[in-house]
Amino acid sequence: MTTWNPQPAGFQEILQTIRDSTDTQNKVQRTITHKLNSFTRVPDYIAYLAYILAALPQEEDQIRTIAGYLLKNNAHLILKASPEVAEYAKSAVLSAFSDSSALIRTAAGQDIVAFLGVLEPRNWPDCLEQLVAMLDDPNRQEAAFSVFEKACEDFPRKLDIEINGTRPLDFMIPKFLMLSEHPSPKMRSHAVACLSYFVPINSQSLFAHIDTFIACLFKRASDEDPSVRRHVCQALVLLLAARPEKLMPEMANVAEYMLYSTKDKNESVALEACEFWLTFAEDPDLAPYLHPLLGRVAPVLLDCMVYGEDDLLWLEGDTEDTNVPDKETDIKPRHYGGKSHGLERETAGNSDEMTKRGAYGQETLDDDEDDYDLDDDDFADEMSTEWNLRKCAAAALDVLAVRFGADLMNVLLAPLKDKLWSTEWLERESAILALGAMAEGCIDSIEEHLKVLIPYLVNTLNDPKPLVRSITCWTLGRYASWCTQPISEEHKNQYFIPTMEGLLRMVLDDNKRVQEAGCSAFATLEEDAGAELAPYLEPVLRNLVFAFQKYQHKNMLILYDAVGTLADAVGRALSNPQYVDILMPPLTARWNKLPDDDEDLIPLLECLASVTIAMGPGFAPYAPLVFQRCVNIVHQALLQYQAYQQNPDLDEPDKSFLVVSLDLLSGLAQGMGNTLEPFISQTQPNLLSLLTVCLKHPQASVRQSAYALVGDLAMGCFNLLRPHLSAIMAELILQLDPEPKVEFISACNNAAWSVGEVALRYGRDDPEFQQWVNPLIARLVPILLHPKAPRSLHENAAVSIGRIGLMHPALVAPHLPEFAQAWCQALYEIRDNEEKDSAFRGLCTLVQTNPAGIAKSLLWFCNAIVRWNNPSPELNAMFQQLLIGFRNHDVAGWQAQVAVFPPVIQERLATRYGV
């Protein structure tokens, strides 16, 4: 042992605290936790923990194990420890790894993995040597292999290194391959698992033996031990993702084995095998190999989607539990992002990369956007939160549907029909799940069947089994966009209204799972229906309001979402006094009941932000109290953060209260306009002073919401904002960054948008704003020209350049040649709206001021003009004047240029503008 020795007083205090930690009283636990946290400041804390674990055989195993657990959680402290302390801790855990007690050995094994991860194996090579030596010791090999498996899983790259001129893996990989033949199933399982973890990192030490490794997998494929088979399946999945070319020659055999394993009675084996089909389907380059297998794979996946007996025990699906309070553990943490300003595009594109699939938490997002909609995994919430065979099979079916569309539908049509009309409710339920999973990819081929399927699904909402009703809600939500299409009165009466009424009934079901599914699906219907819901607002609101009396804690959060989404969907239709009188009393009752620091206030504030915008002036009676409370919450949150900055030992305050309060103030500014001015003037502390502090907040989401509020106040209450703008603009300019970190993109977006709003409100050639024009253009143009800037940032930067140009053409026009082409490329796909209109009026004003500036970008300029559907009369007149001016300036030159434009642009220029 090394020279470190415990001090008796310190040792006794730590040991006694660990003994006390076994007390189950909450109050005692809180004190103990605080005390244990304070010990982390003791320089040799980890040595004391290692000492208790390794050197106190007379102490109870439970106490020594807790010390080991604490040591694992504080392993990072070894990096700051003195050499004596670090050496003692390392030698003590290795010593404890040979203890006579299995509990102590397990705890020591976890500590070894934690230390190896923190120190990295290159800095603790003797540990690796000892572990490898133990693999030959029959009494210790299993424990050593268990440590290796965890280390290989957690940090394979840290093991794939060179130490003193040799690569440990060059010795370890052949050893693992040899041990895959071991008589003990646990040893075989560890061996295959360890080997598989080096596949995703492309370890050359493994790939040097790739053929032996694949032969080993085929040999172990029929192992009688399910754990070994599970790791074989896992390894084949990882190989398919990393080195598919190695499996392709054997694909017939691999596919056969994986189909067989997907039906394995052991669910963990079946789940790993099912992952193979999900991985296979997700790689577009492998589609030609997968297509011939579709007829066999899809029906197997369909069978995997039937609930197992274990699932049914866990789900307690048949209870009418609406009056049973939720356990706090049922409620997943939610993340509240700030308000983000973006523009809608005309087309979303057709490529697979553009589709945003929310069904299983496996979204493909347009990779330059940053609104990762993590709450959109509508499938992950559809059942238990654990990933399981049913969920994996549904996810694989979803990806297959996107990849193969009609071909998949042809394969599954007959088995789906059989299951949908089966007398077994579990079969029907699984088929309804499959229909939902296929909704996106197979919509073209399913569409002809929807005239039968939608009434079937609406009717199935009457099924006595809650699990059938809940999955039916989810699937109806997946087809909501078809149901809500304004095709004809007949379509509305046959599909839209029955779906809406059916889902509203489910919102008020007596089973909590059905309520949740119904409310979520209804929110999807609201988004898709938009203004089409306006005529039905009274019954919709009465149902949602009734749910406020009925729901327990978890579903109340989903109900807030549904109310907020409804407000976003119908807009000002909600300002009807009759609707205000229905909706506001339950929201006000919740508002009055919750204190300022209650986390349930956060989703309520978020919901109210949408409601205030939609109700507009109709919200006036409620505005004073809401405004004052939001300002108070902002003030308190800033004070708490200030205290935290001065004393980092405090817990960092939750930024969500601050973010949603700023967003609700934005909603008030949008909904109430200049009628909000008296509240801003009379309320203390002053909102605008607080806003200036928020703009400097270290948390990006706080700045994001603060910049949105600046833009919204500029639109509605500019006179009050103006005296504060010198401080605000200094912060806004700093925020504009051509290549922001991912977490700063939305803040940068909102800053870019709000400067355009501010520029418009100052008016033409205002001398106060002129001081900011060049600094702004110097920041916005590089954003527009930067190839890696997210598209949303390009768009907001372009709009603001146009708006600043509209107000200050003489200062901006000289820069036109730099950005004209990129500007037109950024905005030609954006839907017609007022923001785009003012930006284009700005560009036209710049072209009038500096006609030569557009010369090299004329094709893009004309393309952007003809992509408009309904320009305002003022903008259309500017287009006409400029185009005729170009033609008349040089008729022959104009004709020569236009002659090489794409035919569609030539045709529209001639039809609309006579040029």
Side-chain angles (χ1 to χ4, degrees):
M1 286 286 181
T2 53
T3 54
W4 179 87
N5 282 303
Q7 296 300 314
F11 162 65
Q12 279 304 329
E13 188 183 4
I14 291 173
L15 180 60
Q16 191 55 48
T17 307
I18 292 174
R19 286 172 179 158
D20 294 343
S21 73
T22 58
D23 191 308
T24 53
Q25 289 180 38
N26 281 340
K27 196 173 178 184
V28 176
Q29 281 293 328
R30 279 197 295 275
T31 311
I32 296 297
T33 303
H34 187 73
K35 200 167 182 186
L36 288 170
N37 287 339
S38 72
F39 288 151
T40 59
R41 297 191 201 97
V42 176
D44 48 358
Y45 179 47
I46 58 168
Y48 281 107
L49 293 174
Y51 180 78
I52 294 167
L53 172 71
L56 293 186
Q58 72 280 14
E59 191 63 50
E60 283 181 44
D61 281 2
Q62 183 190 11
I63 302 303
R64 295 171 66 194
T65 305
I66 292 172
Y69 174 74
L70 290 167
L71 185 56
K72 181 187 76 156
N73 286 353
N74 290 287
H76 61 280
L77 295 177
I78 199 168
L79 296 173
K80 293 189 279 190
S82 68
E84 295 79 22
V85 166
E87 282 308 312
Y88 179 82
K90 290 191 295 186
S91 61
V93 296
L94 284 171
S95 159
F97 195 51
S98 302
D99 197 273
S100 58
S101 159
L103 271 176
I104 304 304
R105 293 197 301 274
T106 302
Q110 292 177 343
D111 293 336
I112 290 169
V113 174
F115 279 168
L116 273 172
V118 170
L119 291 167
E120 301 201 9
R122 70 171 79 244
N123 298 314
W124 197 13
D126 48 332
C127 174
L128 272 191
E129 284 173 29
Q130 288 190 46
L131 287 170
V132 170
M134 287 180 205
L135 291 177
D136 293 325
D137 178 346
N139 298 320
R140 303 170 73 188
Q141 58 186 182
E142 202 178 288
F145 226 161
S146 178
V147 167
F148 267 128
E149 182 176 335
K150 193 78 183 84
C152 295
E153 181 179 9
D154 288 354
F155 41 86
R157 287 182 198 283
K158 292 179 184 177
L159 289 159
D160 194 17
I161 39 99
E162 196 172 284
I163 303 176
N164 302 328
T166 62
R167 301 183 71 79
L169 282 190
D170 287 348
F171 178 77
M172 287 158 60
I173 296 287
K175 186 91 178 162
F176 295 164
L177 285 164
M178 187 180 75
L179 289 168
S180 71
E181 307 269 354
H182 197 281
S184 157
K186 279 193 175 173
M187 293 292 287
R188 297 197 300 274
S189 176
H190 287 316
V192 177
C194 286
L195 290 162
S196 71
Y197 293 128
F198 294 105
V199 174
I201 66 161
N202 291 308
S203 166
Q204 290 316 301
S205 299
L206 174 66
F207 287 163
H209 301 276
I210 187 83
D211 294 329
T212 316
F213 176 47
I214 290 173
C216 147
L217 294 177
F218 287 157
K219 198 166 185 180
R220 295 273 64 83
S222 55
D223 199 295
E224 78 270 6
D225 186 77
S227 175
V228 177
R229 296 200 304 278
R230 179 171 77 83
H231 285 302
V232 167
C233 291
Q234 180 187 41
L236 289 168
V237 171
L238 294 169
L239 276 170
L240 184 69
R243 296 291 297 270
E245 77 285 355
K246 283 286 175 189
L247 290 186
M248 287 310 133
E250 294 288 340
M251 187 42 76
N253 292 332
V254 172
E256 208 59 53
Y257 173 67
M258 283 305 197
L259 277 167
Y260 177 76
S261 297
T262 308
K263 295 181 273 191
D264 198 297
K265 288 186 174 60
N266 183 295
E267 180 162 334
S268 65
V269 176
L271 175 57
E272 283 302 340
C274 192
E275 293 276 3
F276 182 83
W277 305 116
L278 181 54
T279 303
F280 211 156
E282 282 176 331
D283 187 340
D285 296 336
L286 298 179
Y289 298 96
L290 182 54
H291 191 263
L293 300 168
L294 210 52
R296 298 189 59 207
V297 173
V300 170
L301 292 175
L302 192 59
D303 289 340
C304 288
M305 289 157 69
V306 181
Y307 272 123
E309 287 177 18
D310 291 350
D311 292 325
L312 294 176
L313 285 172
W314 187 89
L315 288 165
E316 303 166 341
D318 285 347
T319 51
E320 291 189 357
D321 56 359
T322 188
N323 296 318
V324 179
D326 294 326
K327 301 188 195 101
E328 285 307 303
T329 49
D330 293 340
I331 300 163
K332 291 193 292 187
R334 292 157 68 89
H335 300 286
Y336 296 92
K339 177 177 171 180
S340 193
H341 192 89
L343 297 155
E344 289 185 47
R345 297 186 194 96
E346 279 291 354
T347 52
N350 301 316
S351 74
D352 289 346
E353 299 313 313
M354 297 292 289
T355 57
K356 184 162 128 187
R357 231 183 19 262
Y360 320 97
Q362 325 228 95
E363 319 178 43
T364 17
L365 282 149
D366 182 3
D367 61 8
D368 59 2
E369 292 298 344
D370 113 289
D371 358 341
Y372 306 110
D373 196 356
L374 297 178
D375 289 332
D376 192 29
D377 50 351
D378 41 353
F379 185 84
D381 289 339
E382 172 276 296
M383 284 178 309
S384 71
T385 50
E386 275 191 33
W387 188 244
N388 56 20
L389 178 62
R390 165 186 165 87
K391 205 178 271 193
C392 183
L397 201 62
D398 176 18
V399 185
L400 286 172
V402 171
R403 188 76 62 225
F404 298 113
D407 290 348
L408 178 71
M409 186 65 195
N410 291 338
V411 165
L412 287 182
L413 194 57
L416 267 176
K417 275 185 179 170
D418 291 345
K419 283 177 182 276
L420 284 169
W421 275 272
S422 166
T423 53
E424 284 292 321
W425 74 269
L426 285 168
E427 295 289 323
R428 292 199 306 277
E429 193 278 346
S430 68
I432 293 168
L433 167 60
L435 272 181
M438 294 162 66
E440 184 191 340
C442 292
I443 188 64
D444 291 340
S445 40
I446 287 182
E447 197 161 1
E448 63 181 284
H449 303 284
L450 287 180
K451 291 177 180 173
V452 176
L453 285 172
I454 296 299
Y456 166 86
L457 290 169
V458 171
N459 188 48
T460 305
L461 293 174
N462 299 313
D463 195 285
K465 290 287 182 186
L467 288 170
V468 175
R469 300 199 298 278
S470 65
I471 199 62
T472 306
C473 291
W474 180 74
T475 295
L476 279 168
R478 299 276 283 174
Y479 290 101
S481 57
W482 184 84
C483 295
T484 55
Q485 286 173 352
I487 298 171
S488 64
E489 278 300 306
E490 186 188 11
H491 183 91
K492 189 192 314 188
N493 292 328
Q494 282 190 317
Y495 309 112
F496 171 46
I497 292 176
T499 301
M500 176 180 69
E501 289 175 343
L503 289 175
L504 277 174
R505 269 203 340 275
M506 296 304 99
V507 166
L508 298 178
D509 198 271
D510 285 331
N511 177 276
K512 289 193 288 190
R513 173 177 296 279
V514 179
Q515 292 170 1
E516 178 182 359
C519 207
S520 298
F522 192 75
T524 305
L525 184 91
E526 291 170 344
E527 283 182 337
D528 288 325
E532 297 289 318
L533 270 175
Y536 312 99
L537 265 174
E538 187 186 349
V540 167
L541 286 168
R542 291 203 185 282
N543 274 270
L544 294 178
V545 162
F546 190 66
F548 274 105
Q549 300 165 35
K550 190 164 188 167
Y551 278 14
Q552 298 297 332
H553 189 181
K554 181 185 176 188
N555 287 348
M556 190 69 79
L557 303 177
I558 297 161
L559 182 58
Y560 286 138
D561 279 346
V563 171
T565 305
L566 178 67
D568 294 337
V570 300
R572 275 297 143 90
L574 199 60
S575 63
N576 180 322
Q578 181 192 3
Y579 304 152
V580 175
D581 290 344
I582 296 171
L583 180 58
M584 286 311 296
L587 292 179
T588 310
R590 297 286 300 170
W591 169 270
N592 292 334
K593 186 177 160 190
L594 297 169
D596 283 358
D597 59 353
D598 191 314
E599 288 190 353
D600 285 355
L601 188 62
I602 296 171
L604 175 57
L605 292 172
E606 194 176 49
C607 167
L608 281 170
S610 294
V611 169
T612 53
I613 296 169
M615 286 185 176
F619 194 78
Y622 306 94
L625 286 173
V626 170
F627 182 85
Q628 179 69 66
R629 189 170 186 183
C630 285
V631 170
N632 290 344
I633 293 172
V634 169
H635 185 221
Q636 284 306 312
L638 291 174
L639 289 176
Q640 285 168 2
Y641 206 86
Q642 187 180 22
Y644 164 71
Q645 286 177 310
Q646 290 164 356
N647 180 9
D649 287 344
L650 295 172
D651 289 335
E652 184 171 0
D654 183 354
K655 65 180 185 294
S656 303
F657 288 96
L658 182 49
V659 168
V660 294
S661 296
L662 289 169
D663 289 347
L664 179 45
L665 288 165
S666 267
L668 282 168
Q670 279 179 268
M672 306 282 297
N674 61 7
T675 57
L676 199 63
E677 288 193 357
F679 306 135
I680 298 174
S681 305
Q682 293 158 19
T683 302
Q684 289 301 322
N686 182 270
L687 169 63
L688 297 165
S689 304
L690 298 175
L691 179 57
T692 312
V693 179
C694 292
L695 295 174
K696 300 176 183 174
H697 200 282
Q699 296 273 7
S701 54
V702 175
R703 297 198 305 279
Q704 173 185 334
S705 291
Y707 293 127
L709 182 53
V710 169
D712 290 326
L713 288 171
M715 287 192 278
C717 310
F718 182 69
N719 291 334
L720 291 181
L721 185 68
R722 187 166 183 162
H724 297 264
L725 275 168
S726 58
I728 288 172
M729 289 302 291
E731 292 301 324
L732 280 175
I733 291 166
L734 287 177
Q735 188 67 41
L736 298 171
D737 182 354
E739 203 172 343
K741 291 180 182 172
V742 168
E743 63 269 28
F744 294 169
I745 291 172
S746 289
C748 193
N749 252 335
N750 286 359
W753 166 74
S754 61
V755 295
E757 292 295 343
V758 170
L760 284 185
R761 300 310 176 285
Y762 265 107
R764 183 74 182 249
D765 295 323
D766 184 280
E768 187 183 341
F769 192 87
Q770 278 183 356
Q771 65 181 308
W772 300 310
V773 172
N774 284 329
L776 283 169
I777 294 300
R779 292 267 186 161
L780 289 167
V781 170
I783 288 174
L784 184 58
L785 299 178
H786 198 292
K788 288 188 179 171
R791 184 157 64 168
S792 57
L793 199 45
H794 281 157
E795 292 161 1
N796 278 317
V799 166
S800 284
I801 291 169
R803 290 170 146 194
I804 296 167
L806 180 62
M807 295 296 129
H808 300 272
L811 294 176
V812 181
H815 301 280
L816 184 59
E818 286 174 61
F819 65 75
Q821 179 174 326
W823 195 100
C824 295
Q825 286 170 329
L827 292 187
Y828 76 87
E829 281 189 323
I830 298 300
R831 280 197 187 154
D832 298 359
N833 62 25
E834 199 287 318
E835 281 182 31
K836 182 181 173 184
D837 196 279
S838 61
F840 268 83
R841 282 186 280 121
L843 183 72
C844 291
T845 306
L846 295 175
V847 175
Q848 287 166 350
T849 311
N850 179 13
I854 201 73
K856 289 184 178 173
S857 313
L858 197 59
L859 167 60
W860 286 101
F861 181 53
C862 291
N863 176 56
I865 289 174
V866 301
R867 293 294 284 262
W868 273 85
N869 295 317
N870 297 298
S872 65
E874 182 185 357
L875 178 60
N876 206 41
M878 294 175 94
F879 287 157
Q880 181 90 48
Q881 182 188 355
L882 283 170
L883 291 168
I884 288 173
F886 286 135
R887 185 194 62 189
N888 293 347
H889 175 68
D890 178 5
V891 175
W894 170 260
Q895 286 173 343
Q897 268 197 290
V898 171
V900 296
F901 285 1
V904 66
I905 298 179
Q906 293 186 46
E907 182 191 325
R908 287 184 184 175
L909 287 173
T911 309
R912 291 188 192 174
Y913 300 106
V915 292

